[in-house]
Amino acid sequence: MSGDSSERGRGRGRGRGRGDGLPLPFNPRARGRGGPQFQGPPAGHRDEQAGAGGRGRGGRGSFGRGRGGPGDVQVFDHGVAQPDMRVRRIENETEETFKLARSKSRQQKSALSASLPQRPGFGSQGRAVMLWANYFELLSDGDLLLYRYHIEILPDQAGRTPTGKKAKRIVQLLLEEDLAQYGQNIVTDFRSTLISRTELDVNEEGYTIRYRVEGEEDPAPNARTYRIRLQDTATLTVSELVEFLTSTQAGALFGSKEELIQALNIIVGHHPKAVSHIASVGANKHFDRAAPASEKMSLGAGLQAVRGFFVSVRAATARILVNVQVKHMAFYDDGPLERVMTGYLREHGQNKAKLGNFLKRLSINVTHISRKNKSGHQIPRIKVIMGLAMRDDGRELQHPPIVPEFGAGAKEVQFFLGEQAGGSTGGDQGPAKTGGKKGKRPPKAGPEPPQEGRYISVYDFFQKTYNITVKDPRLPVVNVGSRQNPSYLPAQVCEVLPGQPSSAKLTPAQTQQMIRFAVRKPARNAESIVASGTQILGIEPTNPTLGAFGTTVTQRLITVPGRVLRSPDVKYGGSKIANTRFGSWNMQSVQFSTKTDLPNWTYLWVSSQGSPDPWRNEQELRVSLDAFTSMLKEVGVAASGCRLGLHIFVNAGSVETEIDAAIHRFTSHPKNPPPGLLLVILPPSDTTIYNRVKYACDVKEGLLNVCVVGPRFAKANDQYFANVALKFNLKLGGRNQFLDNSKLGMLPEGKTMVVGIDITHPSPGSSSNAPSVASIVASVDQWLAQWPADLQIQPARQEMILALDTLLKSRLRLWAKRNGTYPENILIYRDGVSEGQYNLVLEKELPALRKACEEVYPAVKTKQGMPHMTIVVVGKRHNTRFYPVKREDADRSSNPLNGTVVDRGVTEARNWDFFLQAHSAIQGTARPAHYYIVYDEIFRSRRVQSPYLNAADALEDLTHNLCYLFGRATKAVSICPAAYYADLVCERARCYLSGLFDPTPVASPAGSLVGGAGPGQLADAGQVRIHENVRDAMFYI
């Protein structure tokens, strides 16, 4: 979590929750569900912004109120904000150069090539503002040469190639033992690359490393040995990068840009990775292991939230910048393992299967045997937990252990203790293994072990051998060996090492704690970056590594120019205008722009064990239903009275069968036709029921449905009812709001189809069989209100969409069905692409898009070059943030005003991209969306209309205005609806495949820890194939 409200983290919240969380139509300041969002798994860590929604979109509501008022506005004070006029001059000169180059090449206008388009100019619209950005400038010696080497760690004697912590330690030993003479002139990523300021005298034969843990002064006699080879791969000149970024020539090229940025990232990131008191997560995130109390908070159940920092070197016009952003992440509590385990079991109801998953791969220090080095300091004895004891552990051993049940305790688990031979333990496995490395005798402590081979419990072994009485023998023992050759330890002799991040899914209570800790005013985040961030990262004071490389990072955040675009008027039925303020509005005294009919609808009321019903009987429910029906009519849905539905009761073991049977009854009743829409009333906080409802309705039976939470629906709150009505109207094919044609560029001509594309991947904790899922949505007319969707599965974690041609053809045919012809233009907003993959979109996906068009368009149209395409990549997981310089340029939450766009200062003049914060974050730090144009045939071929000065103005304003057309909200959202809707489709697919994406460990696994999906379940394309009855509706909203 990074201190704000964006980043996708594929939360596990429900569709109903997300809808409920949006600002309600009659109260734009109402509390919603947005908030800091997950970066990765639905709980490991968060970005500290609220107001962006569960996946950080902004505009979905906020986790807390945090509205503040004008008197609460705080702005970051970093001295006088002075823009860099040299950067501005070079940007302007580059713009003029490109303009001249374009005018000379207009005769070649039709010669299209698949290359990233140059910026057509900088945006000019909106009121000018000045902003701080979370970047520092990096300065280096003009003659700085960097020598790059590839590190290859060869497999060990067992054929295993070290990775992770082991690989990092081996590289550390290489620097200490074989390259020490180079001192601070060498940096590394501790994985695969080494950068030196001087040319190394590389040993062509390679280097032999005898492994030793930290604290050991000499390797053990039987220590493992590793071979490392270094290979010279490049010599890089930093000044060439600066010259390229400063050049105003239109045709300037520099092939080593990415390589130099990577090298500078290694230089800047080496210090926090090398020092022992910093925990580094991934390539760029760093956390203080001994963080003060103000920088961490207990989350309970064995976890704590810690505040740290992300750092990355980036190229910009005329300079090299260092991006620093606040991050928040969940870490394991350090200290006694038994405290972590008891805390987890207390929260999760003694579920040992979940505990086993929670502890897996956790590093511990074993305390029952003590070793010291020559200096008298303790040598850590680090082990990694493989899991809890299981029945079939060591089944191939001559004397396998006796484990009566999964997660058994110290008195129950027995292992075979072999006869003494020369003072060593000769058993097959067991705690005796913890005495040291394989084959090394453990130091003797306490009474001698028995001299004859026999089975002994872990409890008795530790009492007899080490004089340690296990205080809580019911607590599961942990396996620090392997499944084939286990080694068991009681938690009492294990200490959890500090600085270990957790990818476990947070509980609702932990999520709220994380939010309370992470959500702060933007100015406080900026202050943390300048104060704490620069210290942890070794920027202030300058660490010796930066000094040795002749590199410094300025101590002042940069300022960039921005512009605040004007908000469009949002209109409803009868062209009534809703008053917008801070990007929000309400629907008082207005109706939807197009009304829908609902003559036949009913309900499914689901009750479950442990969740009290809000109504005592169906007569009381009828009162709520009648009130909701009145609200539907008030906002423009012509709904008849809700007919009698079903009330079912489910428990954990009957959810699937009961839900499927109930919904099938609605579609197969011998007398009553299927309802036009099904209202599903659910108990709170039960994603299992929600997921099954969506699968049964959308995929199996083809029944439009809207889910609501029973206790909230029972309150008969107009705000809540109106918010649910937004979904009703959209699913029935209606339009909620619209904008004047003048605000939507060429779209009102009815010749442009707007497309959203996204892809979601398995997260940590997903089944190994979980696939990736690609989605597509597209407008069907000029009104941009209805966005039907399609989706498909593909092999896991492949970023590029494999059968994109099939997906696009489905959207083109639907457009032609509605309009009688195919669109002349296709404007694509592509979500889910990282910065390093822009060219892959052109190489892999653009040909598939072209293929789809060639197969469905008449040949005469394709010969005319139709359709014209523009592809805009939508970025959310970036780390750029802006802070207002002046109070009058800040909104209620102290963020930049909604509509703020930035295309200078932190961008490159050659590339066509911009940052747009269309929404108002209710609390925390707003994350702008990043739009990067990777292909353009539409905007460059159209004549720019006044008041725009160039195509950049047209696209920025169009994208901003589209953010006011997200049909499920009464506020502007943080990314344009096409990308937002595509993301919702992906999230719906995760509901259909919840057994794979979010498997629930069974209570007593036999064999291995498996999720609810089962070890053999594979993804089936039919599980995400939407039923033909609802395929052309917004089933996912």
Side-chain angles (χ1 to χ4, degrees):
M1 178 170 189
S2 87
D4 40 69
S5 76
S6 324
E7 295 194 10
R8 161 178 26 212
R10 298 302 183 204
R12 292 294 194 273
R14 316 173 183 179
R16 67 181 186 282
R18 297 189 193 287
D20 299 341
L22 287 164
L24 300 173
F26 293 99
N27 184 356
R29 302 173 74 182
R31 182 181 183 274
R33 184 196 180 280
Q37 86 116 72
F38 300 111
Q39 289 182 318
H45 47 112
R46 288 180 165 273
D47 261 5
E48 165 247 295
Q49 163 182 349
R55 291 185 302 281
R57 286 305 161 67
R60 303 190 196 192
S62 98
F63 278 96
R65 294 182 183 277
R67 302 192 288 245
D72 297 323
V73 172
Q74 302 171 9
V75 296
F76 176 58
D77 185 2
H78 201 31
V80 179
Q82 293 287 354
D84 191 320
M85 299 310 296
R86 183 180 69 95
V87 171
R88 181 80 177 206
R89 175 180 58 80
I90 293 172
E91 288 174 337
N92 291 341
E93 291 177 1
T94 304
E95 182 180 27
E96 289 301 316
T97 301
F98 284 3
K99 190 181 299 183
L100 180 62
R102 282 193 300 275
S103 65
K104 289 182 178 180
S105 61
R106 277 189 183 145
Q107 63 272 23
Q108 302 173 355
K109 183 177 179 181
S110 61
L112 303 177
S113 62
S115 60
L116 299 177
Q118 293 179 338
R119 188 184 297 276
F122 290 100
S124 63
Q125 301 301 294
R127 179 174 64 85
V129 295
M130 188 62 64
L131 305 164
W132 298 107
N134 60 338
Y135 287 81
F136 302 96
E137 186 170 359
L138 184 146
L139 306 173
S140 64
D141 291 346
D143 59 350
L144 179 59
L145 282 178
L146 302 176
Y147 299 89
R148 189 183 68 189
Y149 298 85
H150 173 67
I151 302 171
E152 181 185 13
I153 305 177
L154 302 179
D156 62 14
Q157 296 92 323
R160 294 186 296 263
T161 301
T163 59
K165 297 176 184 177
K166 177 66 71 69
K168 178 178 179 179
R169 179 59 182 161
I170 292 170
V171 175
Q172 284 178 331
L173 293 172
L174 172 70
L175 299 185
E176 292 175 13
E177 298 174 358
D178 296 282
L179 302 175
Q181 67 270 30
Y182 297 102
Q184 302 289 343
N185 288 316
I186 287 183
V187 295
T188 178
D189 61 0
F190 295 100
R191 186 173 55 88
S192 63
T193 306
L194 184 149
I195 305 293
S196 174
R197 186 162 188 184
T198 60
E199 189 170 5
L200 302 182
D201 182 14
V202 174
N203 184 345
E204 299 295 335
E205 305 266 329
Y207 303 88
T208 300
I209 302 297
R210 297 191 66 201
Y211 193 82
R212 56 186 170 86
V213 300
E214 289 189 54
E216 281 186 326
E217 294 167 328
D218 298 304
N222 61 342
R224 287 186 182 272
T225 60
Y226 296 91
R227 294 284 297 167
I228 294 184
R229 285 202 290 251
L230 293 181
Q231 180 181 2
D232 181 4
T233 55
T235 301
L236 305 169
T237 306
V238 177
S239 60
E240 292 179 356
L241 173 60
V242 177
E243 289 171 4
F244 169 73
L245 296 174
T246 307
S247 171
T248 61
Q249 298 303 309
L253 298 173
F254 183 56
S256 300
K257 173 186 163 186
E258 285 74 21
E259 296 176 289
L260 265 163
I261 293 296
Q262 180 204 36
L264 292 172
N265 265 311
I266 292 173
I267 293 172
V268 171
H270 178 84
H271 171 78
K273 289 181 180 178
V275 296
S276 60
H277 68 279
I278 300 295
S280 296
V281 181
N284 305 92
K285 294 185 283 289
H286 308 285
F287 301 81
D288 189 348
R289 294 182 191 269
S294 61
E295 299 300 292
K296 59 185 179 182
M297 172 187 283
S298 174
L299 299 177
L303 295 178
Q304 60 181 318
V306 181
R307 184 175 291 119
F309 297 90
F310 165 93
V311 62
S312 176
V313 176
R314 301 182 61 82
T317 302
R319 55 188 173 181
I320 302 171
L321 300 176
V322 177
N323 179 208
V324 179
Q325 171 59 356
V326 177
K327 291 288 176 183
H328 299 86
M329 185 174 285
F331 283 79
Y332 288 93
D333 287 339
D334 55 287
L337 176 62
E338 56 186 337
R339 185 175 65 197
V340 173
M341 293 174 67
T342 54
Y344 186 88
L345 289 171
R346 190 182 309 116
E347 176 71 26
H348 292 273
Q350 303 300 309
N351 189 317
K352 293 180 181 179
K354 286 186 176 181
L355 175 66
N357 283 344
F358 179 69
L359 297 178
K360 197 169 186 179
R361 307 302 305 172
L362 185 63
S363 295
I364 55 171
N365 182 32
V366 179
T367 62
H368 65 288
I369 298 176
S370 176
R371 289 192 303 160
K372 294 184 179 181
N373 59 24
K374 296 175 182 178
S375 303
H377 297 117
Q378 290 281 350
I379 300 175
R381 299 181 55 76
I382 309 302
K383 300 291 179 181
V384 177
I385 297 175
M386 292 293 106
L388 305 184
M390 304 182 75
R391 283 185 174 182
D392 60 350
D393 282 349
R395 69 167 58 171
E396 300 300 325
L397 296 173
Q398 183 179 0
H399 300 287
I402 299 174
V403 181
E405 63 178 6
F406 172 76
K411 284 187 175 181
E412 300 169 302
V413 176
Q414 300 179 53
F415 65 95
F416 188 79
L417 189 65
E419 295 181 358
Q420 281 301 107
S424 67
T425 301
D428 286 312
Q429 77 289 321
K433 267 188 65 179
T434 64
K437 296 181 178 66
K438 185 176 181 180
K440 186 178 179 183
R441 298 176 184 174
K444 296 179 181 179
E448 287 288 327
Q451 296 297 309
E452 59 184 17
R454 66 187 178 89
Y455 277 94
I456 186 173
S457 70
V458 174
Y459 181 93
D460 290 339
F461 178 82
F462 273 85
Q463 191 172 55
K464 295 176 183 296
T465 308
Y466 302 108
N467 198 27
I468 294 174
T469 300
V470 178
K471 297 176 182 177
D472 187 358
R474 296 171 302 175
L475 203 61
V477 297
V478 295
N479 181 2
V480 296
S482 64
R483 290 289 310 285
Q484 296 73 30
N485 195 16
S487 182
Y488 302 118
L489 292 174
Q492 187 173 323
V493 300
C494 306
E495 294 277 331
V496 179
L497 298 176
Q500 298 187 73
S502 168
S503 61
K505 180 180 177 180
L506 298 185
T507 66
Q510 288 174 325
T511 299
Q512 291 301 319
Q513 282 294 95
M514 175 69 90
I515 293 163
R516 292 188 190 99
F517 173 65
V519 173
R520 304 191 299 174
K521 290 280 190 181
R524 289 193 62 195
N525 276 341
E527 290 161 2
S528 287
I529 290 170
V530 173
S532 303
T534 55
Q535 292 182 19
I536 288 177
L537 301 174
I539 294 174
E540 170 58 32
T542 300
N543 70 73
T545 300
L546 289 178
F549 276 79
T551 301
T552 58
V553 179
T554 61
Q555 307 305 305
R556 183 180 173 85
L557 295 183
I558 67 169
T559 54
V560 297
R563 292 167 286 112
V564 180
L565 302 179
R566 183 176 177 179
S567 298
D569 289 333
V570 178
K571 295 187 176 182
Y572 284 87
S575 293
K576 288 188 177 180
I577 297 175
N579 182 40
T580 60
R581 185 169 181 264
F582 293 112
S584 298
W585 62 93
N586 63 46
M587 286 179 56
Q588 287 178 321
S589 303
V590 300
Q591 291 187 330
F592 296 136
S593 61
T594 61
K595 301 177 182 179
T596 52
D597 295 324
L598 185 56
N600 177 24
W601 65 294
T602 188
Y603 64 87
L604 173 62
W605 174 12
V606 184
S607 299
S608 67
Q609 292 179 333
S611 295
D613 287 321
W615 304 280
R616 290 173 295 181
N617 50 54
E618 299 205 29
Q619 287 71 31
E620 290 186 357
L621 169 62
R622 176 60 58 182
V623 175
S624 298
L625 291 171
D626 290 344
F628 177 61
T629 304
S630 296
M631 173 57 68
L632 288 175
K633 295 176 179 177
E634 184 178 339
V635 295
V637 177
S640 62
C642 181
R643 66 178 170 86
L644 182 65
L646 293 178
H647 184 194
I648 64 172
F649 298 83
V650 301
N651 55 44
S654 68
V655 169
E656 184 173 321
T657 55
E658 292 290 342
I659 295 294
D660 286 3
I663 292 175
H664 182 68
R665 286 178 62 184
F666 288 115
T667 60
S668 60
H669 195 281
K671 296 182 179 179
N672 297 328
L677 194 146
L678 178 67
L679 177 70
V680 185
I681 304 168
L682 300 176
S685 304
D686 197 323
T687 57
T688 302
I689 298 175
Y690 175 81
N691 291 340
R692 194 63 196 181
V693 166
K694 291 302 177 184
Y695 178 73
C697 288
D698 298 349
V699 178
K700 292 187 68 176
E701 303 292 343
L703 194 57
L704 290 175
N705 64 97
V706 171
C707 292
V708 294
V709 182
R712 297 193 67 185
F713 192 80
K715 293 178 181 178
N717 183 288
D718 280 351
Q719 296 173 0
Y720 183 80
F721 282 169
N723 198 44
V724 176
L726 292 172
K727 294 184 181 182
F728 266 60
N729 197 50
L730 289 176
K731 293 200 176 190
L732 294 170
R735 295 199 307 267
N736 289 351
Q737 72 261 34
F738 70 99
L739 304 181
D740 273 339
N741 289 347
S742 61
K743 299 298 182 182
L744 295 173
M746 73 286 192
L747 300 186
E749 298 171 6
K751 301 177 181 179
T752 302
M753 183 172 76
V754 185
V755 175
I757 299 173
D758 194 11
I759 187 167
T760 184
H761 305 289
S763 52
S766 295
S767 165
S768 59
N769 295 328
S772 291
V773 184
S775 69
I776 188 170
V777 301
S779 59
V780 295
D781 54 33
Q782 75 271 27
W783 295 104
L784 305 168
Q786 285 293 306
W787 300 76
D790 200 0
L791 63 163
Q792 66 183 18
I793 62 173
Q794 65 179 48
R797 297 181 177 87
Q798 291 196 19
E799 294 292 343
M800 296 296 106
I801 298 174
L802 300 184
L804 187 55
D805 54 335
T806 302
L807 290 176
L808 182 62
K809 281 190 289 186
S810 71
R811 299 306 92 198
L812 289 170
R813 287 169 178 149
L814 184 58
W815 175 280
K817 179 180 178 182
R818 300 282 181 91
N819 297 276
T821 185
Y822 291 104
E824 294 182 4
N825 305 305
I826 303 177
L827 172 58
I828 300 169
Y829 287 94
R830 171 66 160 95
D831 198 356
V833 178
S834 62
E835 289 184 350
Q837 298 173 325
Y838 292 159
N839 280 305
L840 280 178
V841 174
L842 300 180
E843 296 168 10
K844 304 289 186 181
E845 295 188 349
L846 180 60
L849 296 168
R850 286 286 180 212
K851 178 185 174 185
C853 296
E854 290 169 1
E855 292 179 2
V856 300
Y857 277 72
V860 64
K861 292 294 184 181
T862 56
K863 287 180 180 179
Q864 294 173 359
M866 291 185 186
H868 302 132
M869 286 190 191
T870 291
I871 305 175
V872 183
V873 171
V874 185
K876 305 175 301 295
R877 287 189 279 183
H878 61 82
N879 288 279
T880 297
R881 305 292 181 272
F882 302 113
Y883 312 101
V885 169
K886 300 178 181 179
R887 289 171 59 87
E888 55 266 33
D889 296 330
D891 66 10
R892 298 171 299 183
S893 59
S894 303
N895 281 294
L897 295 167
N898 63 288
T900 295
V901 62
V902 175
D903 59 3
R904 292 177 177 264
V906 292
T907 62
E908 291 185 63
R910 289 181 178 80
N911 304 330
W912 187 4
D913 67 329
F914 59 93
F915 293 90
L916 171 64
Q917 182 202 315
H919 69 299
S920 287
I922 295 181
Q923 58 184 359
T925 305
R927 177 202 303 268
H930 182 219
Y931 297 91
Y932 195 108
I933 294 77
V934 297
Y935 190 72
D936 176 48
E937 293 175 336
I938 299 175
F939 293 91
R940 72 177 183 182
S941 63
R942 295 182 67 89
R943 183 175 180 178
V944 176
Q945 301 292 324
S946 178
Y948 304 143
L949 299 184
N950 51 49
D953 277 336
L955 182 56
E956 288 174 6
D957 199 48
L958 172 62
T959 303
H960 171 240
N961 291 336
L962 284 174
C963 292
Y964 286 76
L965 287 178
F966 183 70
R968 206 180 68 180
T970 54
K971 70 182 295 185
V973 290
S974 67
I975 65 171
C976 63
Y980 198 150
Y981 288 137
D983 181 74
L984 291 180
V985 178
C986 282
E987 193 64 23
R988 179 58 55 83
R990 297 178 76 95
C991 296
Y992 306 151
L993 300 172
S994 58
L996 292 167
F997 277 99
D998 191 18
T1000 301
V1002 294
S1004 299
S1008 59
L1009 279 178
V1010 298
Q1017 180 177 336
L1018 297 174
D1020 179 1
Q1023 292 177 280
V1024 299
R1025 188 174 296 117
I1026 306 304
H1027 195 284
E1028 61 180 7
N1029 290 352
V1030 298
R1031 186 176 299 156
D1032 293 342
M1034 295 180 72
F1035 62 88
Y1036 57 87
I1037 199 69

